[in-house]
Amino acid sequence: MIKVIGKSLCMILPLLLISGCWDQKQVEKRAYVYAIGLDKAEKENRFKITYLIVNPEYGTLATGGSSDANPYEIISFETPDLITSRNLANAVVAKEITYDLLKVFLVSEELARDENFIRWIYDATKDREIRRDNYFVITKEKVTDFLEENDPKLETRIQTYFNLILERGIETGIIPKSELHRFFKITEADADLFLAIYGTTRKEDEEQQPKEEDDILAGQLKTKGITNKTQFLGSAVFKEGKMIAKLTGEETRISVLLNDTLDTSDILTTYPDPFDERFQIAARIVKKSHNKVKMNFKNGPGEIDVTVPLTVEILSDHSMTNIGKSSQKREQLRKFLEEKLSQKMRVFIKKTQEEFKGEPFGWSLIARKQFLTIPEYEKFDWMKSYPNMKVNLKVDVHFGKFGKQGEVPNLNKVRD
């Protein structure tokens, strides 16, 4: 009897394992969407959707290195919503549309500034296949034009290009960490401003070069050579689910440094040399600890005291003054950098109060701790109160290394 039961189990168990594959679908029977683009449509209450469909086997051994296979496909059409568009796409695309590889949401600036944009984008919360960690990018031109003009020269697969350039841009601070989840979270909290990645393939004709190298937007960086026209630089500002302004690369970096919920690991920039006005000093800025933010709401609209601790590594010494070897020069440079950084941050904070009437620094999360109950915090109305607050800011600079070789030769002795 025991042998019969044992044989029966051996026959039944494999059947249970096999049944788990009844709904599996082959890779070649699916169309993998990597990016979704949204543009304004000509008809009212509709928008244009663009699918960037990638070939996951392109550039791998599965294709046998053949150059005949297409790396990606772009398709655009008008739709009333984000959900039913997948079935509409099958009028052209033979395979089943899937979002398994979806990673980027692109929205044109024109649509992002529309009052109805928030109605369309919230469709993304309804579809189970759309993950909340997708990158959220705003394009200056129409998304269809952006994707057609985008032409990476080194990356074989388009999805690799987007992953690398967006990840690296976030690390350097020239673009913010922008995801769908963060957009929905900040929009629903109705207290802070949201920053989205800003990009374009169109270059602007600037008569005057910007005063500082990172005080520019996507499209303003002048480049020459055989390279991709696409630039990701700066950010788009959202208030209550609608785009209201743009920030340059420098302003985006300031926002990242003032916001402890945003991370950056490799900020390289330049400052005027206080020892010789002809030159610039290259520096790496590292933020090793959180900002110290204190708030007082007892008197008047409120007061905020902010201390930003920064570690600065000096990477150039074109004036040949040997800053690292002189404590007096290091102290002079430290005070200069603290004043320079503080001034820039104060100017930008004033801009957020006067122009945007809101802040992208995540300070509302700290303000909540100052109230005993949620109703008290809601009655205070952070977004309406912030423009009238007094903000005191201080930058605390500590020096790191002065380059791999800290000492430079005496120029007079070299040329003696």
Side-chain angles (χ1 to χ4, degrees), residues 71-326:
Y72 60 87
E73 178 182 355
I74 300 173
I75 176 176
S76 301
F77 54 92
E78 290 190 7
T79 179
D81 59 73
L82 195 59
I83 308 300
T84 60
S85 58
R86 283 205 283 183
N87 283 1
L88 291 174
N90 282 129
V92 178
V93 181
K95 302 177 182 179
E96 178 187 353
I97 301 293
T98 179
Y99 295 154
D100 287 351
L101 299 183
L102 181 61
K103 192 60 180 177
V104 182
F105 252 85
L106 301 128
V107 180
S108 66
E109 183 176 340
E110 181 185 18
L111 181 61
R113 291 182 180 272
D114 191 280
E115 293 286 346
N116 290 320
F117 166 68
I118 194 171
R119 301 177 187 272
W120 314 132
I121 194 62
Y122 257 84
D123 283 351
T125 64
K126 306 296 183 181
D127 196 314
R128 294 181 180 180
E129 286 193 24
I130 298 178
R131 299 187 305 272
R132 298 291 186 92
D133 63 347
N134 285 310
Y135 289 117
F136 188 46
V137 180
I138 304 301
T139 62
K140 181 179 180 179
E141 63 272 46
K142 291 182 179 180
V143 177
T144 52
D145 297 336
F146 177 87
L147 291 175
E148 290 173 2
E149 292 292 328
N150 181 46
D151 184 23
K153 303 298 183 183
L154 295 178
E155 294 76 18
T156 304
R157 297 191 288 181
I158 192 72
Q159 58 267 39
T160 303
Y161 163 78
F162 275 111
N163 284 338
L164 292 176
I165 195 169
L166 295 180
E167 287 177 4
R168 185 55 186 161
I170 293 170
E171 289 175 356
T172 59
I174 59 176
I175 57 176
K177 185 178 181 180
S178 172
E179 298 174 341
L180 279 178
H181 173 72
R182 187 176 180 84
F183 171 77
F184 294 136
K185 181 180 178 181
I186 293 177
T187 300
E188 292 172 16
D190 193 24
D192 298 328
L193 303 179
F194 171 76
L195 300 183
I197 299 169
Y198 191 75
T200 185
T201 58
R202 297 179 179 176
K203 292 186 179 181
E204 295 184 7
D205 295 327
E206 295 287 338
E207 295 182 359
Q208 296 181 350
Q209 192 75 11
K211 294 181 179 180
E212 298 185 20
E213 61 179 10
D214 55 356
D215 194 22
I216 54 178
L217 269 168
Q220 295 179 350
L221 179 64
K222 295 184 178 180
T223 60
K224 293 182 179 180
I226 304 174
T227 185
N228 193 3
K229 296 187 294 183
T230 304
Q231 296 181 10
F232 292 99
L233 180 60
S235 52
V237 183
F238 279 79
K239 183 178 182 181
E240 298 175 342
K242 178 185 175 183
M243 181 178 170
I244 60 170
K246 293 176 285 189
L247 299 182
T248 64
E250 182 179 53
E251 291 172 331
T252 300
R253 281 180 163 178
I254 291 174
S255 299
V256 171
L257 291 174
L258 290 175
N259 193 331
D260 286 333
T261 65
L262 297 175
D263 298 324
T264 183
S265 59
D266 191 20
I267 294 182
L268 295 174
T269 187
T270 59
Y271 297 100
D273 191 334
F275 307 106
D276 194 330
E277 60 183 12
R278 296 176 300 170
F279 304 112
Q280 297 277 317
I281 292 179
R284 174 183 283 114
I285 299 177
V286 182
K287 187 178 177 183
K288 295 183 177 180
S289 59
H290 290 325
N291 301 326
K292 298 178 182 178
V293 182
K294 296 181 179 180
M295 298 183 178
N296 183 7
F297 301 131
K298 294 181 179 179
N299 300 319
E303 187 172 353
I304 307 174
D305 295 313
V306 184
T307 301
V308 184
L310 298 175
T311 300
V312 179
E313 298 179 2
I314 304 301
L315 304 177
S316 70
D317 187 3
H318 296 164
S319 58
M320 310 290 279
T321 55
N322 272 313
I323 304 170
K325 294 295 180 180
S326 171

Side-chain angles (χ1 to χ4, degrees), residues 343-391:
Q343 181 185 7
K344 288 185 176 183
M345 289 184 180
R346 292 190 192 109
V347 170
F348 180 65
I349 290 173
K350 186 177 181 180
K351 181 178 180 179
T352 64
Q353 289 183 301
E354 296 179 353
E355 294 185 26
F356 304 156
K357 306 296 182 182
E359 48 82 19
F361 314 128
W363 288 346
S364 68
L365 300 175
I366 302 173
R368 293 181 187 183
K369 301 177 183 178
Q370 310 299 317
F371 299 89
L372 294 176
T373 63
I374 293 178
E376 286 183 13
Y377 168 74
E378 292 176 345
K379 184 179 179 181
F380 180 76
D381 200 336
W382 173 262
M383 187 170 285
K384 288 186 178 179
S385 301
Y386 169 73
N388 300 317
M389 292 182 186
K390 181 181 179 182
V391 181

